[in-house]
Amino acid sequence: SSELLGMASSALRTPSDSSSFERELNLRVRRTLPSDSNFIRGYGHAGGFELHSDFLDWGFMGLVDKVTVATVFFYLADPPTQGGETSFPDIGVDLLATSSGDTFVWYNCGPDGADMGKAAYHRAKAVQSGVKWTAILFAVADRAHCAGFLLEG
């Protein structure tokens, strides 16, 4: 049995316990990577997330000219066997890892520092079979680091 941040991976297969597991895992990640812009998300059967953008201007936090430049999206466990894709409907791209550890990166702002708009809008499609556990890191930096859309696997 493998481990995920010191927790037995068998816990990944118990969606009914996902809320307590998710809370504990988030606490462990925050101890490892102290930031309000990192978090763990888990989805069981029929779980998903609505269409949204990760772009955020951090001026409201007193961080002048700082924006969510990019999203780094890690798979913490093997992906669902059916469903669970991260879908970018306006550009016709669906992302799904092939194994634990796969990582995707996308920019949330263009070279001018502005929000990428609908091109960066994405959602988590419903998991049909299996579970989906991901870690998400939002790269917050000066607008000057915006470069446009990129997907890496």
Side-chain angles (χ1 to χ4, degrees):
S1 170
S2 62
E3 290 192 352
L4 176 64
L5 293 175
M7 301 178 77
S9 63
S10 60
L12 297 175
R13 291 187 266 286
T14 56
S16 62
D17 295 334
S18 66
S19 60
S20 61
F21 178 78
E22 195 169 342
R23 279 192 301 274
E24 177 62 23
L25 196 52
N26 270 300
L27 287 172
R28 290 179 189 218
V29 166
R30 290 190 196 291
R31 281 186 225 126
T32 306
L33 301 167
S35 171
D36 288 339
S37 62
N38 307 317
F39 62 94
I40 304 296
R41 176 149 292 143
Y43 304 99
H45 180 74
F49 200 81
E50 69 277 353
L51 190 66
H52 67 282
S53 170
D54 294 337
F55 182 85
L56 180 63
D57 185 327
W58 289 78
F60 74 97
M61 296 278 297
L63 300 174
V64 178
D65 222 23
K66 303 285 189 202
V67 296
T68 308
V69 171
T71 300
V72 183
F73 193 84
F74 306 91
Y75 275 78
L76 298 175
D78 286 339
T81 53
Q82 187 177 10
E85 300 90 344
T86 299
S87 177
F88 292 79
D90 279 48
I91 61 171
V93 172
D94 283 348
L95 306 176
L96 185 62
T98 56
S99 65
S100 175
D102 285 355
T103 304
F104 297 98
V105 178
W106 62 85
Y107 283 100
N108 298 302
C109 50
D112 61 356
D115 185 346
M116 289 285 294
K118 289 188 176 188
Y121 273 66
H122 57 284
R123 67 184 181 97
K125 289 184 175 180
V127 172
Q128 300 302 313
S129 179
V131 293
K132 178 179 177 180
W133 283 101
T134 61
I136 302 162
L137 169 67
F138 297 121
V140 178
D142 289 338
R143 288 178 189 274
H145 295 288
C146 294
F149 203 82
L150 169 74
L151 294 171
E152 294 182 357

